[in-house]
Every structure is written in structure tokens, then in C-alpha cells.
């Protein structure tokens, strides 16, 4: 991020509240304006105007207010908004939550500077997302297909392996087709040093860092910095997508930490709290992040988002997952029950949903049988799960042969389809073939959602005959 050189300086700090400075006698300050805070010892910190009215400005200090005093602190208003210098040199680099390199490499020589808040996108200029992105994870590619330009969050819980899943998606994600340029922008907010080391080591040892830009905000960094981190990441993504014609996957983890930072700032400003103490404008604030995904007419590049959040107490009705679900186009839900069974990734396909999945499935994108076979597998797994509850009451002996087949299908579906190795990268063809193998457990007459010609082409029984 950059600062202006010419600025107006004030030494009239009225009070300090948490990460906020209240400055009196200010004229001409604007919302979002970047300020330079000069500490009593001469250290310079960055801040941003949160509120501006006649004669007063509220400034949030990114590095925190520790060591500041009301009578010796100076505040310099730069007259500029927060910007980040962008360049293709950023690929393969790791930055902190304020956009400063932390990988031991040189400073970036920017090609240009862009406002981190982005620019309003005319809804009419948006194109409908429709092209398949392969993550190599069957429960996403097969059941909840991700398409370019979509925003598809992962709803996790404390202690579930969402970090491993995020790293695996970042390593394996690819677009099908020759000559397509692909990049990953990864932003981590409020993570521990151990988690940060895990991500950096994963990216380095697998070579994924070469096509990635990584931003890391640690748990011991000022929480106010978390407000910046996703915006810096998305600004870089917009540069790569709309100016360099790349297909960019943006992974944001953990949005719960971002929302906690919002709540902290709101409390410091003495704002009237909304649900569970979160600010009433949290929906709008989250929308300014999520809505920066998409495709634009006349541009070859796309921005796809996978925000990851941990649901407090595994409560999907909590304001953070609730509001995220309103804005985004579906959700991937991780299950604690599957995790206890030792299944990775513990994706529960029944409450999971990709609202744009149909746009990325079918001939020319994945395969002709994709939609039908997925619908059949979903219905069979749902029936198998419901039969587990029945078995708990009446016992398995009371089941018919048909019921036992569905029960077996549900068990095998979890063990063979949902479960896969942390380094296992399945192609969409492997995923769909595996679904057909599992559906072969059921009597053929039960496959009512699949056309006869598809059964005769892809069902293992007929494939063996074709190969003989």
C-alpha cells in the first residue's frame, strides 16, 4: 500500500478507543482516506478514515494504537484512498496483511497502483458463469460443480480440516482447455503462525506458489489489518483477471476472523449492535467482498471465489454463514460426523449446494452423463442416510433386499467417493466413473433418474461387455 507525500497534519487527537483515534478540528477529510499516524517516538503507522463530519474524523490505525498518546500523536491526512501497487512480479510471492513482502524477496516494482476497494461493476456488464473449474475433489467437481466467476463458500467448524482442504484446492485447481492462464490468490486472515507456516510450506514444496499470490494476516497482527487483507487480495485478482486475461481463483480464509474484526471496530465506535453483537451493516460489508467475483463482458479473465468460514458452535444459522449464504451461490458444508469417521474431506453432500452447478455440467464442459448420474447418486445417498435412522429403531434384519442395497450404497459412497487422499487429484472422468461403479450396487431398475442410453454406455456391466 502507498501513501501520498503532500498532506495536512493535525495534532488535535481528542481520544483513543481501541484501534480508533478521534481527531478534532479536521476539515475536508473524506471517508476511506488514508492517514499517516506519527507516534511520539517518531514511528509512522498507517490508518484510514472511518467516519468524517465537520470538525471531526474517526481514524482506524492498522498497526494498533499501543504506545500512542493524545497530546504527542500527530495525524497526517494524505488526501488519497488506500491503493496497492500491482505487477505480474507478484505471482510466486508472499505478503503480509498490508501487502508488504514477507518472503525475503525484494519489494515489488509496481506496473500501476489500484484502489483496494475496487470499482463498481455495472450489473449489465456481467456474464453468467458457465465454465467448469476442476478442483480434483470429487464432492465438489461431481456433486457441487464450481464454475468460473462463481462465489462458492465452504462452511466449516472449529477443528475441522478446512485449512488442508483450502491448500489442496489451491494446489490442484485448474481450468480445462489449452492456452488458458490460471492463477490462485490466497488470503488468510487471523491465522496462527503454525497455520501460516503450513500454508507457505505446502505452496513451496508442491510448486503451487509459482502461480499464486499469497497474503497472510496472523492472529497476533492488529485485527484492523484483517479489514484490508481480502480487499488487497481481490484487487490483485482483478488486475490479473481483467488486465492480464487470467482465470483467477481467490481463496479467503477465515471470514469468521474478518467478521470478528468488524465487530471489534463497531464496538469501539459505540455503534448500535445488530444480531449477536455484529454491526448492522455486516451484510453490506460482506457483499463488497463477495460481489467482486464474476465474469465481465469483453474481458477474457474471470474471478472465482471460495471464501472459507468456521461456523461458531457449528451453527449454520449464525449471522456469518447466514449472511454469506444470502450473498453467495451455494455452500460446501463440512460435517463433524464424517470427520469423526476418519473421512477426508468431510464434505456433507446433502446440505451442500452449488446453485450454478448445472451451468458447468454436460457435454463440452464435463461429460454428457454428469447431471443425470449426480442426481441419481444424490437421491440414492439421501435414501441410504434415512434408512440408517430406521435401522437404529427396527434393526437391519427388518430391511428388504432393496433397502440393504441403499444402505450399502450410502456406506460405500462415503468410504470411496467422499473420502480421498489429501494429495489425490481426481479428474472429472474418474469422479463420474466412480459414481457409476457405486450405482452398480443398486438394482438396475432403481436407476430411474438416468436415461437408458447412458446406462448402456457408462454402467460397469455394459462397459465390461463392450471391452470383451
Amino acid at each position: 500500500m502507498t501513501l501520498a507525500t503532500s498532506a495536512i497534519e493535525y495534532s488535535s487527537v481528542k481520544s483513543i478507543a481501541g484501534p480508533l483515534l478521534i481527531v478534532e478540528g479536521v476539515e475536508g477529510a473524506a471517508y476511506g482516506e488514508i492517514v499517516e499516524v506519527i507516534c511520539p517516538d517518531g514511528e509512522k503507522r498507517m490508518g484510514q478514515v472511518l467516519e468524517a463530519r465537520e470538525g471531526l474524523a474517526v481514524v482506524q490505525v492498522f498497526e494498533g494504537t499501543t504506545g500512542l498518546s493524545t497530546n504527542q500523536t500527530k495525524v497526517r491526512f494524505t488526501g488519497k484512498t488506500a491503493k496497492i501497487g500491482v505487477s505480474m512480479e507478484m505471482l510466486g510471492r508472499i505478503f503480509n496483511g498490508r501487502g508488504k513482502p514477507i518472503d525475503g524477496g525484494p519489494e515489488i516494482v509496481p506496473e500501476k497502483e489500484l484502489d483496494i476497494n475496487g470499482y463498481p461493476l455495472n450489473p449489465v456488464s456481467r456474464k453468467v458463469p458457465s465454465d467448469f473449474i476442476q478442483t480434483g475433489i470429487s464432492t465438489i467437481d461431481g456433486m457441487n460443480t464450481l464454475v468460473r466467476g462463481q462465489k462458492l463458500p465452504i462452511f466449516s467448524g472449529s477443528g475441522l480440516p478446512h485449512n488442508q482442504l483450502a491448500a489442496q484446492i489451491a494446489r490442484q485447481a485448474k481450468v480445462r482447455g489449452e492456452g488458458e492462464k490460471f492463477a490462485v490468490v490466497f488470503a488468510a486472515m487471523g491465522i496462527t503462525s503454525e497455520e501460516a507456516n503450513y500454508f507457505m510450506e505446502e505452496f513451496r514444496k508442491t510448486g503451487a506458489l509459482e502461480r499464486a499470490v499469497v497474503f497472510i494476516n496472523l492472529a497476533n497482527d492488529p485485527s484492523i489489518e484483517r479489514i484490508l487483507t481480502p480487499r488487497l487480495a481481490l484487487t490483485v485478482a482483478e488486475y490479473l483477471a481483467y488486465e492480464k486475461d487470467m482465470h483467477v481463483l481467490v481463496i479467503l480464509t477465515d471470514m469468521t476472523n474478518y467478521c470478528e474484526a468488524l465487530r471489534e471496530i463497531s464496538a469501539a465506535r459505540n455503534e448500535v449492535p445488530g444480531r449477536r453483537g455484529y454491526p448492522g451493516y455486516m451484510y453490506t460489508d460482506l457483499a463488497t467482498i463477495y460481489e467482486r467475483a464474476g465474469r465481465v463482458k469483453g474481458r477474457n479473465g474471470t474471478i472465482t471465489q471460495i471464501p472459507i468460514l468456521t461456523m461458531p458452535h457449528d451453527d449454520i444459522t449464525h449471522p456469518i454463514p447466514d449472511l454469506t449464504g444470502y450473498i453467495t451461490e451455494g455452500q460446501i458444508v463440512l460435517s463433524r460426523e464424517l470427520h469423526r469417521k476418519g473421512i477426508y474431506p468431510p464434505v456433507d453432500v446433502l446440505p451442500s449446494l452449488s446453485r450454478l452447478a448445472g451451468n458447468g455440467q454436460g457435454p463440452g464442459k464435463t461429460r454428457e452423463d454428469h447431471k443425470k448420474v449426480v442426481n441419481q447418486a444424490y437421491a440414492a445417498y439421501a435414501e441410504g442416510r434415512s434408512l440408517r435412522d430406521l435401522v437404529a429403531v427396527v434393526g437391519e434384519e427388518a430391511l428388504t433386499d432393496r433397502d440393504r442395497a441403499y444402505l450399502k450404497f450410502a456406506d460405500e459412497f462415503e468410504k470411496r467417493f467422499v473420502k480421498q487422499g489429501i494429495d489425490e487429484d481426481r479428474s472429472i472422468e474418474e469422479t463420474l466413473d466412480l459414481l457409476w461403479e457405486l450405482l452398480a450396487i443398486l438394482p438396475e431398475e432403481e436407476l430411474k433418474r438416468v436415461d437408458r442410453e447412458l446406462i448402456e454406455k457408462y454402467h460397469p456391466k455394459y462397459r465390461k461387455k463392450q471391452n470383451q
Side-chain angles (χ1 to χ4, degrees), residues 5-307:
T5 50
S6 59
I8 306 170
E9 190 171 292
Y10 294 88
S11 55
S12 50
V13 176
K14 177 187 176 185
S15 60
I16 300 173
L20 306 181
L21 297 180
I22 290 82
V23 189
E24 289 185 315
V26 179
E27 293 181 6
Y31 174 78
E33 181 178 348
I34 285 295
V35 302
E36 196 172 26
V37 179
I38 303 161
C39 306
D41 61 0
E43 178 196 353
K44 292 181 180 177
R45 302 181 189 177
M46 290 174 59
Q48 190 174 26
V49 176
L50 273 188
E51 185 180 332
R53 53 180 184 264
E54 192 171 340
L56 187 138
V58 178
V59 174
Q60 60 179 7
V61 185
F62 297 136
E63 291 93 337
T65 56
T66 306
L68 301 185
S69 65
T70 54
N71 56 352
Q72 291 181 293
T73 301
K74 297 177 182 177
V75 180
R76 186 175 296 153
F77 290 79
T78 67
K80 289 193 174 183
T81 55
K83 295 187 176 183
I84 183 172
V86 292
S87 139
M88 289 296 286
E89 293 175 14
M90 299 180 86
L91 285 168
R93 299 295 303 276
I94 301 173
F95 304 87
N96 67 12
R98 298 193 310 279
K100 301 293 182 187
I102 56 171
D103 55 2
E107 289 283 334
I108 297 295
V109 179
E111 182 183 312
K112 57 164 54 177
E113 291 185 351
L114 298 175
D115 190 315
I116 69 165
N117 296 303
Y119 299 98
L121 194 60
N122 187 339
V124 178
S125 70
R126 286 184 179 269
K127 287 170 69 179
V128 177
S130 62
D131 297 313
F132 172 62
I133 290 180
Q134 182 172 293
T135 65
I137 296 166
S138 291
T139 45
I140 297 177
D141 296 346
M143 311 297 285
N144 301 283
T145 309
L146 179 67
V147 295
R148 296 183 212 169
Q150 186 178 5
K151 38 194 181 290
L152 184 63
I154 294 175
F155 289 0
S156 183
S158 179
L160 295 181
H162 47 271
N163 286 337
Q164 290 89 332
L165 183 58
Q168 186 173 1
I169 292 171
R171 286 196 313 268
Q172 297 179 177
K174 59 184 75 71
V175 291
R176 291 155 71 92
E178 294 181 11
E180 301 281 18
K181 295 184 289 183
F182 187 73
V184 173
V185 176
F186 187 92
M189 294 157 278
I191 63 172
T192 64
S193 296
E194 183 182 357
E195 291 170 326
N197 291 334
Y198 167 77
F199 283 126
M200 289 191 283
E201 185 60 30
E202 276 292 305
F203 289 145
R204 284 193 178 113
K205 78 179 183 185
T206 59
L209 188 59
E210 293 175 12
R211 58 165 191 175
V213 184
V214 181
F215 292 88
I216 291 179
N217 163 265
L218 296 174
N220 61 351
D221 288 333
S223 60
I224 201 77
E225 195 179 282
R226 270 159 233 156
I227 307 300
L228 282 181
T229 306
R231 292 177 168 82
L232 293 173
L234 286 162
T235 304
V236 174
E238 287 170 349
Y239 164 76
L240 295 173
Y242 302 141
E243 299 191 27
K244 300 300 178 183
D245 293 337
M246 299 184 80
H247 299 290
V248 185
L249 175 63
V250 181
I251 300 174
L252 305 172
T253 183
D254 178 338
M255 290 303 294
T256 299
N257 293 333
Y258 173 87
C259 293
E260 294 294 346
L262 268 187
R263 181 161 68 170
E264 184 179 326
I265 296 163
S266 175
R269 293 173 66 182
N270 294 318
E271 293 175 338
V272 177
R275 287 168 61 196
R276 312 254 185 123
Y278 292 94
Y281 53 79
M282 188 166 76
Y283 178 88
T284 308
D285 192 281
L286 288 172
T288 64
I289 294 174
Y290 297 146
E291 292 295 349
R292 289 173 75 173
R295 301 173 68 200
V296 180
K297 292 175 183 173
R299 306 285 177 92
N300 293 327
T302 59
I303 297 176
T304 307
Q305 266 191 47
I306 299 183

Side-chain angles (χ1 to χ4, degrees), residues 52 121 181 328 338 384 411 414:
L121 194 60
K181 295 184 289 183
T328 54
L338 290 175
D411 292 338
E414 291 174 356

Side-chain angles (χ1 to χ4, degrees), residues 279 406 432:
Y406 274 101
L432 295 177

